[in-house]
Amino acid sequence: MLDFPRWKVWLVWITLIVCVAYSIPSFFPKEQVARWPAFAQARFNLGLDLAGGSHILLEAETTDVAKQRLEQMVETVRTEMRRNQPRIDIGDISLQGGQVSFMVRDTSQVDAAVERLRAQTQGAGMTGQRDWDVSVVDSTRIVLKPTQAGLVRAVDDALAVARDVVARRIDPDGTKEVTVIRQGSNRIVVQVPGLEDPEALKTLLGKTAKLEFKLVDLNADPAAVAQGRAPVGSEVLRMADGTGAIAVKRQAIISGDQLVDATQGYDQRDNTPVVNIRFDGQGSRRFARVTQENTGKPFAIILDNQVLSAPNINEPILGGQAQISGGFTVESANQLAVQLRSGKLPVALKVVQESTVGPDLGADSIQKGIIAGIVATLAVILFMVITYMRFGVYTTLALIVNAFMILGIMAIFNATLTLPGIAGFVLTIGAAVDANVLINERIREEQRRGRGTLQAVEFGYKEASRAIFDANITNVISAAIMFTFGSGPVRGFAVVLAIGIITSVFTGVTFTRLLVADYLKRNRPKEIVI
């Protein structure tokens, strides 16, 4: 246990030096650190309760949900009439008056069509309420009218998904301690610490990021398109750059739901920023089939009902990968990639309230947190030095290094320190010496049994390490559960606690063992006072 190979000694010191070095930029003003080299700018952030930040209240456009339900029902009708046998022949589907209607060509198949649709429109839950009312008009026309209960349920589901999408867009790594919670039936509260200008945040959240690929309707009359009219089965969409409009087929070739990745890149031809996207297996196969069948024809890349570009399909696209171009800058391409990776918003969100919280509110908390940390540290140091003498000094060194390691690791991951995080930090300082108390007491016990100095120290570390690792594994599991199921302040506490547990075991066991082994090797004492 006390034999340290040279590579292990170097590994321990390099780990300590790297973590301490990463903690240093956080103690300097942000403006000063910005002038340092890029690798030296890592620092942890302060939460909204400590450093202020942006508070935004978003409201869902529920009319969008109603419109999307109508469009989805059109696809459901087409699918259900064609998928099962016997196949039911229907006429054009109408979307007038906030309801879906169509005519069944064979009157003998009307009842079968109604039964199929009622099976698909049964609402969820114990009430048995339907999401749609299905009725027959004039013996051959079927009308589907959305119910209020179905709309309320759809809005609730859309808000639940929107909350998750917003959280992923702002904090894809889950380390910034943003708060994203629902308020009422159609609102979402967003709090982002350290962000004093909400404009960039509003831009990020303002787009639904609904990505679609549709074929261009080559039969559309350009004059009619200019007036906003398109043939049956098509629609007119504006170009994103404002150069005009084109007619595209209503049915999408593929949608953003089938994306598995989106990254910012550069066009190999002219080095302009683009967004590279990759589809899942089903999306790849569908994209390959459609591009094979429509080689030489144009298709439109559509984002939030605006056409980014409409290139020709020069050859079949078989690899499940595509490129989105549209006059992007590096920043806007990165932003779009984040939006696409996080998923589309199922409902448009508008900002109804915004405010900026200044850092003054957290100044007192920071001051008191620092005082609490200093008092706790000094009290622990005094106790350990008086109780364990030289070994108490080693514990003190481990405690100081542990504090810097926690801050350094938080800086590496760009994590956020909140007020509950400070509580976790102070708690970690007190708990960090547990390992050394167990080790030192075990060494004392081995001495009382009559073991020599080296044997007592070696058995002390060996036997105590088992209990230390077992106890701290359970603590890490607890922190992981809090991080997984908690949010906001609970996550902040869990992050600092988990980091503190890991670093305290490293410094309390490995680092102090290295110091003790070096002392015994250099001085060869016949007995130790502990």
Side-chain angles (χ1 to χ4, degrees):
M1 288 289 291
L2 296 178
D3 184 24
F4 271 85
R6 186 176 296 273
W7 67 267
K8 188 178 290 187
V9 174
W10 278 104
L11 182 61
V12 171
W13 282 108
I14 289 174
T15 301
L16 294 176
I17 291 171
V18 168
C19 289
V20 172
Y22 270 101
S23 71
I24 292 176
S26 298
F27 295 98
F28 289 86
K30 197 170 184 179
E31 297 76 14
Q32 183 176 346
V33 174
R35 296 193 294 267
W36 295 4
F39 66 87
Q41 294 183 10
R43 52 188 290 139
F44 61 84
N45 304 306
L46 296 179
L48 188 70
D49 52 357
L50 298 178
S54 291
H55 173 101
I56 293 179
L57 180 62
L58 303 170
E59 186 174 82
E61 297 278 5
T62 55
T63 54
D64 283 356
V65 177
K67 181 180 177 182
Q68 290 172 16
R69 294 185 73 224
L70 290 172
E71 293 174 350
Q72 291 168 359
M73 181 51 64
V74 171
E75 293 301 318
T76 300
V77 169
R78 288 197 179 104
T79 302
E80 289 301 314
M81 298 302 106
R82 296 174 182 174
R83 183 175 59 184
N84 299 320
Q85 295 297 328
R87 185 170 177 172
I88 299 175
D89 189 17
I90 63 174
D92 293 335
I93 302 175
S94 172
L95 281 176
Q96 294 181 350
Q99 58 188 20
V100 178
S101 65
F102 63 93
M103 185 184 70
V104 179
R105 300 188 189 279
D106 186 349
T107 56
S108 65
Q109 293 182 314
V110 171
D111 290 340
V114 169
E115 288 302 317
R116 291 184 188 181
L117 293 175
R118 282 180 175 168
Q120 292 296 318
T121 57
Q122 176 67 47
M126 300 293 293
T127 62
Q129 291 179 319
R130 292 186 176 275
D131 291 341
W132 296 78
D133 285 330
V134 184
S135 59
V136 180
V137 179
D138 297 333
S139 73
T140 58
R141 180 165 291 276
I142 296 177
V143 178
L144 296 99
K145 186 176 181 180
T147 65
Q148 185 61 32
L151 179 59
V152 170
R153 194 157 36 238
V155 170
D156 185 69
D157 293 341
L159 261 292
V161 175
R163 194 212 71 84
D164 294 337
V165 172
V166 168
R168 287 196 299 269
R169 286 189 185 181
I170 302 173
D171 187 17
D173 299 321
T175 59
K176 295 182 180 179
E177 302 304 330
V178 300
T179 299
V180 183
I181 57 176
R182 288 183 59 179
Q183 184 181 86
S185 60
N186 65 338
R187 290 185 171 185
I188 297 175
V189 175
V190 179
Q191 294 179 337
V192 184
L195 183 66
E196 297 182 1
D197 181 11
E199 290 303 320
L201 179 62
K202 288 160 59 179
T203 302
L204 184 64
L205 301 179
K207 294 183 178 179
T208 56
K210 180 184 179 183
L211 179 69
E212 296 175 304
F213 290 73
K214 295 183 177 181
L215 290 173
V216 176
D217 189 345
L218 299 178
N219 297 321
D221 181 8
V225 171
Q227 296 175 0
R229 292 184 288 109
V232 176
S234 298
E235 60 182 337
V236 176
L237 296 179
R238 307 293 300 179
M239 299 295 294
D241 58 7
T243 57
I246 61 173
V248 298
K249 299 290 187 180
R250 286 189 179 274
Q251 187 172 6
I253 301 173
I254 195 170
S255 68
D257 295 335
Q258 295 165 309
L259 277 180
V260 294
D261 193 23
T263 56
Q264 184 266 322
Y266 295 93
D267 195 318
Q268 295 181 352
R269 295 169 296 181
D270 53 14
N271 207 37
T272 56
V274 296
V275 178
N276 296 314
I277 58 177
R278 183 162 55 89
F279 300 110
D280 59 17
Q282 181 181 359
S284 299
R285 290 189 294 272
R286 186 172 182 180
F287 201 44
R289 177 175 57 79
V290 172
T291 53
Q292 281 178 325
E293 295 172 353
N294 295 276
T295 301
K297 299 178 181 178
F299 72 102
I301 302 173
I302 303 163
L303 180 69
D304 293 340
N305 290 324
Q306 287 191 323
V307 179
L308 295 178
S309 60
N312 279 329
I313 304 173
N314 295 324
E315 57 186 15
I317 303 174
L318 307 177
Q321 298 182 5
Q323 190 178 85
I324 302 175
S325 58
F328 295 119
T329 62
V330 173
E331 182 179 356
S332 63
N334 263 318
Q335 195 175 79
L336 176 57
V338 170
Q339 292 170 341
L340 294 178
R341 281 200 306 272
S342 61
K344 73 174 183 180
L345 283 170
V347 59
L349 300 173
K350 65 178 181 179
V351 178
V352 295
Q353 180 185 336
E354 61 179 278
S355 61
T356 301
V357 181
D360 297 339
L361 294 175
D364 184 59
S365 299
I366 295 174
Q367 183 181 4
K368 289 181 179 179
I370 292 174
I371 293 174
I374 292 174
V375 171
T377 302
L378 291 178
V380 171
I381 289 174
L382 184 63
F383 173 81
M384 294 301 293
V385 172
I386 292 175
T387 306
Y388 299 111
M389 305 300 286
R390 174 182 289 274
F391 282 72
V393 174
Y394 293 151
T395 301
T396 298
L397 292 175
L399 191 64
I400 295 172
V401 171
N402 179 54
F404 281 100
M405 285 191 70
I406 294 174
L407 299 178
I409 292 175
M410 291 183 67
I412 291 173
F413 291 101
N414 196 30
T416 299
L417 181 64
T418 59
L419 189 58
I422 291 180
F425 187 84
V426 174
L427 177 63
T428 300
I429 291 176
V433 297
D434 285 354
N436 295 106
V437 170
L438 286 172
I439 292 169
N440 294 341
E441 290 298 328
R442 189 62 192 235
I443 293 174
R444 281 180 173 179
E445 186 178 335
E446 296 298 330
Q447 282 185 315
R448 286 194 293 267
R449 291 178 177 178
R451 294 189 186 275
T453 300
L454 290 177
Q455 282 189 326
V457 174
E458 184 169 0
F459 272 87
Y461 271 96
K462 182 178 180 180
E463 298 300 324
S465 295
R466 298 174 184 174
I468 292 169
F469 285 119
D470 288 344
N472 284 283
I473 284 174
T474 59
N475 288 335
V476 170
I477 292 173
S478 299
I481 292 173
M482 284 191 290
F483 182 84
T484 302
F485 296 102
S487 62
V490 176
R491 278 194 162 193
F493 178 82
V495 168
V496 177
L497 182 62
I499 294 174
I501 291 169
I502 295 170
T503 57
S504 64
V505 171
F506 176 77
T507 56
V509 178
T510 306
F511 179 58
T512 60
R513 187 159 58 90
L514 177 63
L515 296 178
V516 171
D518 183 69
Y519 164 69
L520 295 177
K521 183 178 180 181
R522 290 178 183 274
N523 296 277
R524 302 285 181 180
K526 293 184 178 180
E527 61 179 34
I528 54 176
V529 179
I530 184 172

